[in-house]
Amino acid sequence: MDSASNDRAQLPRNMIENSMFEEEPDVVDLAKEPTLNPLESEEVEYEPRSSRLLVRGLGEHEMDDDEEDYESSAKLLGMSFMNRSSGLRNNVGNYRQAQEGLCPVPSARTVIVSVVVVVILVSIVTVIYLLPKCTFTKEGCHKKTQPVELIYPIATNGQRFPWTKSRLPNYIKPLEYNITLYPNLTTMTFSGKVNIKLNATGNANAIVLHSSGLQDIQANVTLRSGATHNLSVLEYPTFEMIAMVLPETLQKGTECLLTIEYHSNFSTSYYGFYKMSYVKEQNISTWLAATQFEPLAARKAFPCFDEPAFKSTFRLEIKRSEEHTALSNMPKIKTTVLPDGRLDEFATSVKMSTYLVAFIVSDMKNVTKDANGTLVSIYAIPQKIDQAQYALDTAITLLEFFSDYFGIKYPLPKLDLVAIPDIQAGAMENWGLLTFRETTLLYTENSSSLMDKQLITQVIAHELAHQWFGNLVTMEWWNDLWLNEGFATYMEYFALQSKFKDLNADDKFLKARCDAMDKDSLQTTHAISTDVQSPEQIEEMFDDLSYIKGASILQMLNVYLTTDIFHKCIEKYLSDHKYETTKSDGLWDSMNQVVGSSRDVKNIMKTWTQQAGYPLVTVEKKGKEVYVSQERFLRTVNSSKATGNSSTLWHVPLSYIFGPCNGPSENGSFLLNQTQGKIGLPSEPCWLKFNVNMTGYYIVDYGHDGWDALIKQLRSNPTVFAASDRVNLIHDIFVLSGVGKEPLLRAFDLLAYLVNETEPAPIQQALHQTRIIHSLLAKQGFSYLAANLEMRIFNLLRDKIDNQKWTDDGTLSAQELRSLLLDLACMHGDDHCINEATQLFNIWQYNGTRLPTAVKKIVFKVGAHTDDGWGYLYSMYNTSLSEAEKIKMLEGLASTDDGKKLQWLMSASLHGEDIRTQDFPAVIHFISKNVPGFLLAWNFVKQNWDEITQKFPPGSFPIQSIVTKVTANFGTEVYLNEVINFFNSTKGKSRDMWCVKEAIEAIKLNIQWIDKNRDNLNWL
């Protein structure tokens, strides 16, 4: 899934396994907890009513095999049984007290002898008393099992629920689903029937599976004998599970057929089977229904084994009205005419996880083309289908590329890409039925920019890569989500570099890596392979670390192994695990088989997947010898604490480039797998740079002399370094200055070379780093320093700004540079820039003249600063058919200084009034960026938190974005305490979300940075 793209909460120590006999916590600990969280395996808590716990003692004998399978794995560790010897010890203490009261004071010798005798007697008596009676019999003792206490939750009907874990048991597995759905877009309800063919992998007395929000559930089972039995359905909403006790034990290796009927309402959130409306050309509102199941929402549409490891085949039937079309993962094979509609039947799917199942009922139109036997289609609402051609051509190009590169043909007969009018995610990789936001699929020449085309191509590439990485081969559990998202992200950029070179994927990936490293340098970060259990924790795995860090370490490995060997490793991995699930070790084992004994990929890469953060590599040059050392880098102002645990060690594939004082530059590599290392160069270099093209996931400190040499080289001839290396140097020196390892002044000295910079990526990184400082200063009231900083950067780039034209001329790089520089000038208040933008806005408003797409957002932002301009922009927002244009208009509307208008934008987007709720996080982000709006946004989020978390699940990417963006520039103790107190007061476990802890840590860092730097910025 694309994410429309911290002290972390303490996670459970061990991921729950499906074993029937996993150890559970002490019953004493269980009783202390006030509530029950659905997916926390290491603690079971009490709910006041329906979730009461029943404690049942089983006596002293072992359970038989059938009862073991039936009773679940709630065996407790460390039960506090009262030892009979404790009473005896108390008696001994009383005995001693009595002796002291009755006897005269004895001699020392008498006391010692008496104590020794008493101790001996008590010890003998205690041993005899504690030994079983059978010890002294002729037969001796038979080994007996420790008495076991099993704890069971209580179902909604008051009966015992026969399973205690938040993960499903593994003694029954689904083989095939046959699902029939009856959606009604008039009553906004649906009913369903599912037949699940099951196989017992162990003896089973009950069937346990997932169900959430489904009503009037009726079930029966057909056993091997052919007999059908009605089953009583037990519901346990806390775990989103239902259970059915079988009439007889289902023996290991046998099969049965479970049939369940139910009905439900369409979801009002973006999860499950949900409804949405759109307006047709005649201003008529119409409804459609679509699904979003990843990660935990298939259970909201049909009862199922809703965990990735339970792969199965699926066969669907969907009833619809005559004017609608039904889509699912597989092609339609039959349509039956009914008196009240149509019943579409779809082919049986390949084996896949439940979160990849999808279906849509709508009146969408499509464009279609055959691609080597695969029917590729783009679907959109009728009035936007003319925007689908670019996506169709791009999808076919990428589908052929991936099929060839992976050596495995796309396995389904069709591939549908559907533009959904209202969807939370940027896109979703449902096998054969991919869903997208309209902004990430639809393209029009007149209103979409080259940057919009880049985004669309990226997202299509990401979702198509998922058809292999995620769909064909799936992670076993959500702790290894990076296997899906990291690979899809890496292949997204790799495909664009291979097939769409003009779209500058390298620059986009480079910026994403820098952003991910900033997040990963906090103490509240997490390893990309992390134990997760609760829904919030699973949702929060969909973050920059799973996507971007996962992709970054794969890129680093590609460079280390070489592209050809890495390619063979990918092919081996897919071939070894196709149609199955696996863990990270499965990837490394496949790679090691290709690489052989020369390099242990698993040993190297575990240091990157199982450890949080990344290394700071410190470089010291002494003549021809270079000494390198590593330590964990943590972003903190206190330089003495700027690194983590000294025992943290990575296997770092170092790459470097150096320039002899006379002659061309040279390259080298070195694997740093110890704390320190030494590299010998052929000659003493004038300058030395590590992390060539920033393909490694680490930062570098060159020390005073090393930085001076690099700065000198940048000023004399910056093109000695690739643009990616220049980005890398800007990023690293600003990050290091933020923790006091380098003076901030030296970072700005490095930026002086920008007068000779011609590429957009280094300028973008420089503006990003300086805007962080500017925004922090401005929002804490240091307006004088903020203005001086802005003027310094503006003067540095003034000549380039003056050379920009308000057109769409040039390559994507030229247009990106134009957009960056003109946006900077207008934000600075440059009269020439504002006059040009205002003139273009007025011509567009009064004459309908087309605006250049590369500068359209800038024109909208300037034009919206007047009441008349804001009103016109809003009216055009409501009539535009281009979602790419509308999101630029939305940013323009959010740039106003009018607090009432900002308040209305937030309210309208949250409630879906004229502005889609899917865009609410973007609205919060746009408003939070500006000084007039950032406090308004924070207050709005506080006042509407409950409603926000109903629209977007806690921990989800929208919630992560809202929390981090709205608090990003707080820098006082007052707001630190307000943020802490607010999240402590919220319902549920908001304060335990990783993004909340990340936000709190970021505020503390802001406070520390201001305290250290505010009095030392006179040089600005």
Side-chain angles (χ1 to χ4, degrees), residues 766-778:
L767 292 178
H768 171 73
Q769 295 295 342
T770 55
R771 279 175 178 168
I772 291 173
I773 299 172
H774 174 271
S775 184
L776 186 58
L777 291 172

Side-chain angles (χ1 to χ4, degrees), residues 459-472:
V459 177
I460 293 174
H462 184 98
E463 303 310 323
L464 286 187
H466 266 311
Q467 306 304 295
W468 287 265
F469 291 101
N471 298 8
L472 185 68

Side-chain angles (χ1 to χ4, degrees), residues 626-639:
V626 179
Y627 295 87
V628 290
S629 61
Q630 64 161 299
E631 55 192 338
R632 182 181 174 184
F633 177 73
L634 286 173
R635 198 148 44 96
T636 172
V637 172
N638 187 338
S639 59

Side-chain angles (χ1 to χ4, degrees), residues 540-647:
E540 287 203 288
M541 288 298 287
F542 291 84
D543 64 1
D544 281 351
L545 301 185
S546 294
Y547 285 73
I548 307 302
K549 182 177 181 179
S552 299
I553 66 171
L554 290 171
Q555 183 193 46
M556 182 171 63
L557 185 60
N558 178 22
V559 173
Y560 176 65
L561 294 178
T562 73
T563 299
D564 289 342
I565 293 177
F566 185 77
H567 182 195
K568 293 176 182 178
C569 289
I570 288 177
E571 290 181 313
K572 176 66 173 171
Y573 169 68
L574 291 173
S575 176
D576 287 349
H577 302 286
K578 58 185 177 183
Y579 300 110
E580 302 297 338
T581 59
T582 189
K583 302 178 182 179
S584 293
D585 279 352
L587 170 64
W588 310 137
D589 289 340
S590 294
M591 287 190 164
N592 271 344
Q593 291 181 45
V594 174
V595 174
S597 59
S598 59
R599 284 166 287 191
D600 188 343
V601 175
K602 179 186 286 189
N603 193 38
I604 294 171
M605 297 309 294
K606 275 191 172 184
T607 67
W608 295 97
T609 60
Q610 296 182 0
Q611 295 182 145
Y614 58 85
L616 164 66
V617 175
T618 301
V619 176
E620 183 181 5
K621 181 170 66 71
K622 294 182 179 180
K624 294 191 296 182
E625 293 183 337
V626 179
Y627 295 87
V628 290
S629 61
Q630 64 161 299
E631 55 192 338
R632 182 181 174 184
F633 177 73
L634 286 173
R635 198 148 44 96
T636 172
V637 172
N638 187 338
S639 59
S640 65
K641 298 180 180 178
T643 54
N645 189 334
S646 59
S647 65

Side-chain angles (χ1 to χ4, degrees), residues 2-13:
D2 195 287
S3 297
S5 355
N6 304 324
D7 200 337
R8 293 291 188 193
Q10 185 63 41
L11 302 180
R13 291 184 302 277

